[in-house]
Amino acid sequence: MLCLDPVFFHNNDKVAVVDDITADDVRQFMHDLFRHADLLAFVHGNMDQQEAIELTKLVKKELGFTPLAPSHRPQRREVKLKKGTRYVRQCPVYNPNDINSAVVASFQLGIETVESAARFELLGHLAKEPAFDQLRTKEQLGYLVWTSVTTDRGVAHFRIAIQSGDKPADYLDSRIEAFLHQFR
């Protein structure tokens, strides 16, 4: 979600700079790609711990990279939303004839632990059918209605999404809020 990630580049940002990238830039990038990198490996199957470590060392050697310095490792962070605050990110429509709209309402649930993950998944399970029944079947708001519980950077989120061919996004959002008020 664009509002929550402190370092996120929208496709529009990337398109704005792509004309300045040359074939030589791409070749240099490919040459430098594995010069410094980190490897996180999950080895599953018929190997013991030592064999898994040796396999990882072999992969690092074959790729020929040296580990990233700690200062160059990306920080996986997420913005903590203030309780009761509403954040809206609207994206421009490039085709004026496109009547489609969509809303993804995301609610931070908190830091995920084993116990909270069980509760969060239960919430997602309990909300799935009533949300679909109310928003898709009864109100016929859109051709796509879904709920999910996801984890980003260790923070759990409950999300409801609606994609519609005839209802504006602000109306879809108001119906999500009404559903959640009734669902509580």
Side-chain angles (χ1 to χ4, degrees):
M1 306 292 310
L2 292 176
C3 296
L4 303 175
D5 194 340
V7 181
F8 183 88
F9 300 105
H10 191 275
N11 287 340
N12 298 343
D13 302 323
K14 296 173 198 172
V15 167
V17 300
V18 75
D19 287 339
D20 297 331
I21 299 173
T22 67
D24 285 338
D25 292 334
V26 174
R27 280 191 280 282
Q28 187 62 46
F29 174 76
M30 292 303 295
H31 178 264
D32 295 341
L33 182 61
F34 289 114
R35 181 176 291 165
H36 299 287
D38 275 333
L39 176 67
L40 176 64
F42 175 71
V43 179
H44 176 74
N46 242 355
M47 285 191 176
D48 63 27
Q49 182 178 0
Q50 189 56 42
E51 290 171 318
I53 291 170
E54 292 303 318
L55 176 64
T56 304
K57 287 179 182 177
L58 177 64
V59 169
K60 287 169 122 177
K61 179 182 175 202
E62 290 299 317
L63 291 176
F65 64 81
T66 57
L68 283 174
S71 62
H72 289 119
R73 291 188 180 127
Q75 295 289 323
R76 303 274 306 172
R77 298 182 305 204
E78 181 168 309
V79 174
K80 182 177 181 178
L81 301 177
K82 293 179 183 172
K83 188 173 183 172
T85 304
R86 188 174 178 85
Y87 298 88
V88 176
R89 167 81 160 105
Q90 292 182 308
C91 298
V93 176
Y94 298 104
N95 178 356
N97 299 321
D98 188 354
I99 60 170
N100 292 292
S101 63
V103 170
V104 178
S106 183
F107 306 89
Q108 282 184 340
L109 300 175
I111 302 295
E112 190 172 63
T113 64
V114 172
E115 295 80 14
S116 67
R119 288 193 300 272
F120 298 156
E121 287 296 326
L122 182 58
L123 167 67
H125 177 74
L126 292 173
K128 183 177 183 172
E129 191 279 327
F132 188 87
D133 183 55
Q134 181 64 39
L135 302 171
R136 171 71 173 91
T137 305
K138 291 179 180 165
E139 295 187 40
Q140 298 183 359
L141 295 178
Y143 47 89
L144 182 138
V145 174
W146 59 260
T147 63
S148 67
V149 174
T150 61
T151 302
D152 296 322
R153 297 166 203 86
V155 178
H157 298 263
F158 174 66
R159 293 186 174 130
I160 298 179
I162 304 175
Q163 190 169 348
S164 177
D166 59 353
K167 303 284 192 287
D170 57 345
Y171 180 74
L172 299 176
D173 187 55
S174 72
R175 299 315 303 149
I176 290 172
E177 294 290 336
F179 166 75
L180 290 172
H181 182 73
Q182 172 253 332
F183 180 70
R184 290 180 208 189

